[in-house]
Amino acid sequence: MADKPIIDVRVQAGPFDAAGEAKRLAALADVGAVVTFTGICRSDGGRLKGLELEHYPGMAEEEIARVAGEAARRWPIAGAVAIHRHGVIAAGDDIVLVVTASAHRAAAFAAAEFLMDWLKTRAPFWKREIFADGSAGDWVEARAADDHAADRWHLDKAAE
Amino acid sequence: MKALYFAWIRERTGLAEEVIEPPATVKTAGDLIDWLKGRGEEFEYAFGDEHVVRIAIDRAHVQRDAPIEGAREIAFFPPMTGG
């Protein structure tokens, strides 16, 4: 995999086309595995109408690009796409997409998981619940489990 | 420099962003938080749970001991909950 990997990062309000993005990466040279992860807004058993996602414009894109670049340094991937939505997301709709492509599945799986773990704990996005009646709910608290998931990749704290 | 506040820190301060001019004695991001807390009840409330506040200088994550000299933009926010 001599070519420089394709890295595509987008932060947008509108929906994305997961199948189309996967197809695009699958068409790259020497790709034998494509992993696609889609994060979806839960209704939490009907309690929520959706979520409102606030982000830090500029830093959100830069941070996800940094994470994707780090994934490309760690694993021999041909390409990675990461798309994160902001604004009001209705329950059942997509929030985040990560697609990774590589010659073999191990690198594609690992890079995708790394991207999601790091994105959840490093990219500046904050979720707030919107209750079923449309009223504003609480800010979602960061989960220790997400920090632990990110910690296992031994992130370089000095680079922070 | 420009100060940005996000999520519940924004709501507590009542500001999304402002231009601040801290005195020369304020050298680190941590000093700046202490200085901001002295500006009024809403800032004391916003930064009261100080250990959870995350900081970015010019869009890069930093710790409290990071120097603020030369910074154009400093942002304060709760732990991220994207994904």
Side-chain angles (χ1 to χ4, degrees), chain B residues 48-69:
Chain B
D49 207 359
E50 201 189 315
H51 66 280
V52 304
V53 175
R54 302 286 194 267
I55 312 159
I57 290 181
D58 293 333
R59 298 177 178 177
H61 292 287
V62 297
Q63 302 296 322
R64 269 168 185 65
D65 57 2
I68 59 165
E69 195 183 352

Side-chain angles (χ1 to χ4, degrees), chain A residues 47-60:
Chain A
R47 193 173 66 88
L48 301 180
K49 187 179 183 181
L51 291 168
E52 180 161 11
L53 273 124
E54 181 170 332
H55 76 301
Y56 181 172
M59 183 176 172

Side-chain angles (χ1 to χ4, degrees), chain A residues 121 141-151:
Chain A
T121 54
E141 280 195 43
R143 296 171 63 236
D146 291 333
D147 284 335
H148 293 147
D151 281 348

Side-chain angles (χ1 to χ4, degrees), chain A residues 54 56 59 62-63 66 84 120-123 125-128 139-140 142 160, chain B residues 4 6-8 10-11 56 59 61 63 73 75 77-83:
Chain A
E54 181 170 332
Y56 181 172
M59 183 176 172
E62 286 174 14
E63 204 57 26
R66 233 191 304 263
H84 203 303
K120 281 188 86 86
T121 54
R122 303 266 316 195
F125 289 87
W126 302 276
K127 287 186 186 129
R128 160 182 228 149
W139 292 98
V140 175
E160 288 185 353
Chain B
L4 306 180
F6 290 99
W8 52 256
R10 170 177 54 74
E11 290 181 334
R59 298 177 178 177
H61 292 287
Q63 302 296 322
E73 187 172 289
F77 41 78
M80 289 68 81
T81 54

